[in-house]
């Protein structure tokens, strides 16, 4: 993104390191200025050019004319009994976005960020999907979730699993990842960041070409008939097409694709499903996250009983498939998977 034609000030948080360098070279500034400014913005959390004390006063004033640095302050922070923290940020147009910090047993914190206000994909089990798509988040709005939460808690891992379909907002998501990865930005290694998609096949290939990131795919079914019902995107990119895209996705050695599989009672939780799942994953470096469905009033679907969940997991484990059971975190504050934005709906 570059300076807009109507000479509106540019929000520097919308610029990747390369774009920032171009912007500054347009002002006649040297390369190392990018490093200085990136550090002020991302490592020291500064939002006023006046505070960038190692820049000449005239340069700071010139920046003030042409640029801004946006920031988020949480409007509310809800804390779950399990320690999960849900932040609500108000956007400049009055819309809002939610971000969830999940403390892991290891003592590390995972931050779950949103990429859109709402989501267009209309998965039948997901409350965010019911809400529909309002708009994409800008690069700055994606990055600002991380900036704001870092002032409150340390963040070890980042997952793009909040509201929205990240690959439906690919350009801004890739820009945001570049800022997260930049040594002068947040310096997160690509191994620390996971992007989850409902399976937009052409965009998966595009993502793989453009940037490194851990990929998670919300699979949730083992037949097209069931997946069509749960996730309408499957009608466009059915299972075989999706699995082929996964096979083609570039992986580093020892890296795997995560397949998220919500277990729903009587829908996708049978032993026959487990058997088909093993077949589908054949030849893919995969691990499976089993997520017992989080029941909510927007859906009739139910979570399976304990025995069925265990039997499903055991079937996979017995066939050397890494299958981890995920527990719903932050359920009491509607911070769990698929529950973001729920309160406004109910
Ligand atoms: N749109 C992307 C990223 C959002 S991730 C995607 O779908 O992958 C949201 C995750 O929450 C998805 O893995 C989805 O399968 C899961 N989810 C949605 N509703 C849920 C529910 N009611 N119970 C459990 N998981 C749910
Ligand atoms: Fe969108 Fe993901 Fe929810 Fe489907 S599961 S509606 S893609 S957020």
């Amino acid at each position: 993104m570059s300076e807009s034609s109507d000479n509106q000030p540019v929000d520097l948080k919308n610029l990747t390191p390369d774009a920032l360098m171009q912007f500054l070279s347009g002002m006649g500034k040297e390369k190392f200025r990018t490093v200085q400014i990136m550090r002020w913005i991302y490592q020291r959390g500064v939002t006023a050019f006046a505070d960038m004390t190692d820049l000449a006063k005239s340069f700071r004033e010139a920046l003030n004319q042409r640029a801004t640095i946006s920031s988020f302050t949480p409007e509310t922070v809800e804390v779950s009994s399990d320690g999960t923290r849900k932040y609500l940020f108000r956007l400049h147009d009055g819309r809002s976005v939610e971000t969830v910090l999940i403390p892991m047993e290891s003592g590390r914190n995972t931050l779950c960020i949103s990429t859109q206000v709402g989501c267009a994909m209309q998965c039948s089990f997901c409350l965010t999907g019911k809400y529909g798509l309002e708009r994409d988040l800008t690069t700055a709005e994606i990055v600002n979730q991380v900036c704001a939460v870092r002032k409150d808690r340390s963040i070890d891992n980042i997952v793009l699993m909040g509201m929205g379909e990240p690959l439906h907002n690919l350009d801004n998501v890739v820009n945001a990842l570049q800022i997260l990865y930049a040594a002068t930005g947040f310096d997160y290694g690509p191994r620390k960041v996971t992007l989850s998609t409902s399976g937009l096949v052409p965009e998966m290939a595009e993502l793989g070409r453009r940037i490194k990131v851990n990929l998670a795919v919300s699979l949730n079914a083992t037949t097209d008939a069931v997946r069509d019902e749960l996730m309408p995107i499957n009608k466009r990119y059915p299972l075989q097409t999706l699995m082929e895209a996964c096979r083609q996705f570039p992986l580093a050695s020892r890296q795997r694709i995560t397949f998220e599989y919500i277990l729903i009672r009587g829908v996708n939780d049978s032993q026959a499903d487990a058997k088909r799942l093993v077949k589908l994953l054949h030849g893919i470096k995969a691990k499976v996250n089993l997520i017992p469905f989080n029941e909510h009033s927007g859906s009739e679907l139910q979570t399976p009983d304990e025995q069925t969940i265990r039997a499903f997991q055991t079937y996979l484990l017995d066939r050397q498939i890494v299958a981890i059971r995920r527990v719903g975190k932050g359920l009491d504050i509607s911070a769990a998977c698929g529950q973001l934005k729920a309160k406004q709906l109910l």
Side-chain angles (χ1 to χ4, degrees):
M1 219 177 283
S2 60
E3 203 171 356
S4 52
S5 52
D6 51 2
N7 280 334
Q8 284 284 317
V10 177
D11 182 356
L12 296 191
K13 281 187 176 163
N14 272 322
L15 303 184
T16 63
D18 279 350
L20 180 62
M21 196 187 294
Q22 273 178 21
F23 175 78
L24 294 172
S25 92
M27 292 174 73
K29 295 294 168 188
E30 314 85 327
K31 273 189 182 173
F32 74 91
R33 298 290 177 197
T34 311
V35 174
Q36 276 180 308
I37 294 178
M38 290 278 295
R39 288 201 174 127
W40 279 116
I41 298 178
Y42 297 108
Q43 295 177 358
R44 289 178 239 177
V46 159
T47 55
F49 295 113
D51 294 339
M52 300 186 175
T53 46
D54 56 1
L55 305 183
K57 199 161 174 243
S58 57
F59 181 27
R60 284 185 257 158
E61 278 164 8
L63 281 169
N64 233 348
Q65 298 282 313
R66 294 168 207 227
T68 56
I69 304 166
S70 63
S71 65
F72 278 1
T73 311
E75 187 169 293
T76 56
V77 184
E78 287 176 80
V79 184
S80 161
S81 54
D82 64 22
T84 300
R85 302 167 76 80
K86 183 169 78 169
Y87 302 79
L88 185 133
F89 300 108
R90 184 71 49 195
L91 307 176
H92 63 83
D93 60 359
R95 294 184 165 96
S96 60
V97 75
E98 290 173 331
T99 309
V100 180
L101 186 88
I102 307 152
M104 312 301 275
E105 271 148 34
S106 59
R108 292 171 184 274
N109 289 327
T110 295
L111 187 69
C112 177
I113 61 176
S114 296
T115 55
Q116 297 180 310
V117 185
C119 182
M121 298 300 142
Q122 296 192 310
C123 302
S124 62
F125 49 81
C126 177
L127 262 183
T128 305
K130 292 234 177 326
Y131 188 73
L133 177 65
E134 292 213 357
R135 69 167 171 86
D136 286 338
L137 294 184
T138 63
T139 301
E141 287 166 337
I142 298 171
V143 166
N144 269 330
Q145 297 169 60
V146 182
C147 296
V149 175
R150 267 167 67 111
K151 288 190 181 155
D152 188 36
R153 286 289 186 277
S154 66
I155 302 169
D156 301 288
N157 298 293
I158 296 176
V159 295
L160 284 70
M161 294 190 188
M163 258 193 291
E165 167 50 57
L167 297 188
H168 198 205
N169 186 15
L170 186 64
D171 290 341
N172 292 338
V173 163
V174 169
N175 288 346
L177 291 179
Q178 283 174 359
I179 295 169
L180 295 181
Y181 295 167
T184 52
F186 290 123
D187 204 13
Y188 288 111
R191 294 285 182 107
K192 302 267 183 199
V193 183
T194 301
L195 180 154
S196 176
T197 180
S198 56
L200 272 62
V201 164
E203 288 81 1
M204 283 167 64
E206 184 62 23
L207 177 77
R209 278 191 289 272
R210 285 210 215 165
I211 200 155
K212 283 191 188 138
V213 66
N214 292 310
L215 184 69
V217 174
S218 296
L219 193 61
N220 299 333
T222 60
T223 66
D224 282 319
V226 173
R227 200 163 188 272
D228 282 352
E229 281 295 311
L230 294 176
M231 307 180 73
I233 188 71
N234 194 67
K235 293 177 193 153
R236 216 179 326 155
Y237 307 116
L239 278 171
Q240 286 310 327
T241 314
L242 175 60
M243 300 320 279
E244 187 50 33
C246 292
R247 283 194 185 84
Q248 301 297 330
F249 192 79
L251 294 176
S253 60
R254 297 180 58 206
Q255 198 183 13
R256 302 169 203 235
I257 297 180
T258 302
F259 290 88
E260 291 154 292
Y261 194 95
I262 305 177
L263 285 162
I264 307 171
R265 183 187 294 220
V267 173
N268 64 3
D269 61 346
S270 68
Q271 289 286 293
D273 281 299
K275 195 171 174 182
R276 281 191 294 266
L277 181 55
V278 172
K279 265 200 175 157
L280 278 173
L281 297 180
H282 186 76
I284 302 180
K285 292 203 288 180
K287 62 182 170 192
V288 177
N289 276 350
L290 295 173
I291 314 162
F293 177 69
N294 293 322
E295 295 182 8
H296 55 78
S297 53
S299 167
E300 302 280 283
L301 300 172
Q302 294 176 315
T303 197
D305 56 43
E306 192 50 42
Q307 214 182 339
T308 309
I309 298 172
R310 288 229 183 108
F312 198 99
Q313 183 180 22
T314 304
Y315 188 94
L316 300 181
L317 292 175
D318 285 350
R319 279 142 194 96
Q320 279 69 52
I321 292 180
V322 180
I324 300 156
R325 179 169 168 183
R326 293 286 174 208
V327 278
K329 291 275 187 159
L331 281 167
D332 51 343
I333 56 166
S334 299
C337 297
Q339 297 194 325
L340 295 186
K341 257 293 178 269
K343 275 201 184 145
Q344 284 88 332
L345 280 166
L346 302 177

